[in-house]
Amino acid sequence: MAFTEEIGSFNESNRRFDAVHKALLAFGFVAPLFTFLFAVSGLSITQKTVGLIAVSICYAAVCVWAFMKIRSAAAASRDLNVIVPGLPDDTTESKLLALEEANQFFGTSLKPRDMFRLVSNRVRDIVPFEASALWLPNEDHSKLLVAYYDGDGAERLKGVSRDISDGIAGLAFLSGEIEYSPEVKSVDSDPLVGDDLSSIAVPLSHAGSVFAILQIYERHRTERSAERTELLNAVAARVAPLFLGSKAFERSLSNALTDPLTDLPNERAFFMILENQVAESQRFRDDRPVSVLSIDIKGFDRANQMYGHGVGDQLLRFAGTTIRLNLRKMDFLARVMNDEFAVILPTASERITQEIVERIRIGFTETPFQISEHESVKLWMNFGSATFWKDGETSQQLIQSARLRKQQSKSEDPGNVLWFDKEYVN
């Protein structure tokens, strides 16, 4: 009877395992088709963006669900001392395989911080440790900085940086080999290494170049051995793609929402934030106003003709920086198209909005744009504003109202079309 129950439990785990694969296969066919139909639909860009983000979240949720189901099935099979094909057992090799599976499930869908937590937990199963840290080089590779940390006492590593030649992390980065703290204790100034903890620095490489150091801290004295080095090298080979994938994922998210010329958020990011702000204002009505600014540069096309597109690009970066310096910390600035900038002003009434507009005007008046060492010009800006409830109740209505008022301000001042005054030219 007991044996029959065990076989029934085993068969149930097999069925769950098959169901997971069938679900992943079905979702793999449906998701691309849905994404394509959604992309070519007649919906607005905002609706498409929200829809595609929702699909991405659903896909991540399905992956997490599938991963947990597979682990649950694996646990059930281990309880029966039965090995299910494709599922890991309790050996070191199976735990290394779990790292590879994590790469398949999460390699390009987790941000680096979340990926580090996942990796830290997986590596702890293979090489038990008290704490861990990921060191990354700065731009000129003169220093290493602790980017992420995990475990007991690891908060002491927050903000720690050191010269590339200091400590075993630096030695591992320069040598490309695993370094052990007892052998290089005299050059290590690590805040966690001492009487209680020793450490190992494991270089993570791609195409023969080290891009990060995974450092683990152990309670007992760390000794070098050929077997341990081989195991840690196997861990590094599986961990490196995980971090590279998460970095690529973070870059893709950033690129999708960032204007590459000014490094400001782009139009897609602007409408995502504005939708949230409008939703809050709709809930609280007059108690939580939100206003929108549309700003562009007077005579920008003429400036491009006179000075070239290189100077025009510099001018756009200068305009973005000057606007941002004269906003409040809570305000959100984006470059939405050409020379147009858009600003979200949370909690700003009409009066506060006009005060901010005036502050931006003064900022441009007091800070001319330097074309060259001997020539500078002053920028004039066109402004249009709209406030929730009075000028519109949706994101599109607000930005359209702000743009309309900006156009009206241009027609009311037809003589002032030059983007600089002669008195500002040296």
Side-chain angles (χ1 to χ4, degrees), residues 137-150:
N138 60 358
E139 290 186 1
D140 61 2
H141 285 198
S142 62
K143 290 182 178 294
L144 287 177
L145 306 92
V146 174
Y148 314 107
Y149 52 86
D150 178 50

Side-chain angles (χ1 to χ4, degrees), residues 10 67 76 87 110 137-138 143 204 228 231 243 275 284 306 384:
F10 168 70
F67 186 74
L87 295 180
L110 289 180
N138 60 358
K143 290 182 178 294
L204 305 180
R228 191 142 214 243
L231 174 60
F243 285 120
E275 289 285 352
F284 298 104
M306 291 174 61

Side-chain angles (χ1 to χ4, degrees), residues 72-351:
S72 176
S77 67
R78 286 195 296 270
D79 290 341
L80 296 171
N81 292 319
V82 178
I83 298 178
V84 178
L87 295 180
D89 57 20
D90 283 329
T91 65
T92 299
E93 186 63 33
S94 72
K95 292 176 181 178
L96 291 172
L97 180 61
L99 280 174
E100 296 178 2
E101 291 175 344
N103 189 22
Q104 295 173 4
F105 278 103
F106 306 112
T108 57
S109 61
L110 289 180
K111 292 183 178 180
R113 184 176 300 279
D114 298 323
M115 182 61 74
F116 176 76
R117 294 195 187 99
L118 174 67
V119 168
S120 183
N121 288 331
R122 293 290 183 271
V123 174
R124 187 183 281 110
D125 290 339
I126 302 170
V127 186
F129 57 77
E130 299 294 324
S132 64
L134 186 73
W135 297 81
L136 297 177
N138 60 358
E139 290 186 1
D140 61 2
H141 285 198
S142 62
K143 290 182 178 294
L144 287 177
L145 306 92
V146 174
Y148 314 107
Y149 52 86
D150 178 50
D152 295 340
E155 62 276 359
R156 282 183 284 169
L157 293 169
K158 182 179 181 179
V160 170
S161 66
R162 61 164 61 124
D163 290 339
I164 199 73
S165 59
D166 181 25
I168 66 169
L171 288 178
F173 190 86
L174 294 173
S175 67
E177 298 179 355
I178 297 173
E179 302 289 350
Y180 296 77
S181 63
E183 300 179 13
V184 292
K185 194 76 169 286
S186 59
V187 298
D188 204 350
S189 57
D190 195 299
L192 292 188
V193 173
D195 295 335
D196 295 332
L197 293 177
S198 58
S199 72
I200 307 172
V202 182
L204 305 180
S205 304
H206 174 65
S209 178
V210 178
F211 67 87
I213 299 295
L214 176 64
Q215 190 163 358
I216 60 176
Y217 299 85
E218 300 180 316
R219 184 65 62 185
H220 56 80
R221 179 178 175 83
T222 298
E223 299 291 350
R224 181 190 293 269
S225 68
E227 293 78 9
R228 191 142 214 243
T229 300
E230 182 180 0
L231 174 60
L232 290 171
N233 278 325
V235 168
R238 290 159 173 80
V239 164
L242 287 166
F243 285 120
L244 288 173
S246 66
K247 287 173 65 177
F249 175 67
E250 187 175 54
R251 281 195 302 270
S252 66
L253 285 180
S254 177
N255 292 339
L257 300 173
T258 303
D259 170 51
L261 178 62
T262 61
D263 282 334
L264 291 173
N266 60 16
E267 185 176 29
R268 180 182 300 176
F270 172 80
F271 277 106
M272 288 176 61
I273 299 299
L274 184 56
E275 289 285 352
N276 289 331
Q277 292 296 323
V278 168
E280 287 295 306
S281 294
Q282 287 173 339
R283 288 177 58 198
F284 298 104
R285 291 282 179 176
D286 296 332
D287 294 332
R288 194 187 187 282
V290 61
S291 294
V292 170
L293 287 179
S294 177
I295 308 171
D296 63 28
I297 304 169
K298 291 186 179 181
F300 179 72
D301 291 338
R302 183 179 177 187
N304 269 334
Q305 295 174 0
M306 291 174 61
Y307 297 100
H309 291 284
V311 171
D313 290 346
Q314 295 177 30
L315 192 151
L316 288 171
R317 286 190 285 266
F318 171 81
T321 300
T322 305
I323 295 171
R324 183 165 48 191
L325 289 174
N326 290 283
L327 295 174
R328 305 169 302 174
K329 289 185 177 180
M330 71 178 75
D331 298 333
F332 184 85
L333 170 65
R335 180 194 174 202
V336 292
M337 65 176 72
N338 300 326
D339 65 322
E340 182 185 6
F341 298 86
V343 186
I344 302 171
L345 304 173
T347 73
S349 62
E350 287 183 275
R351 179 183 61 81

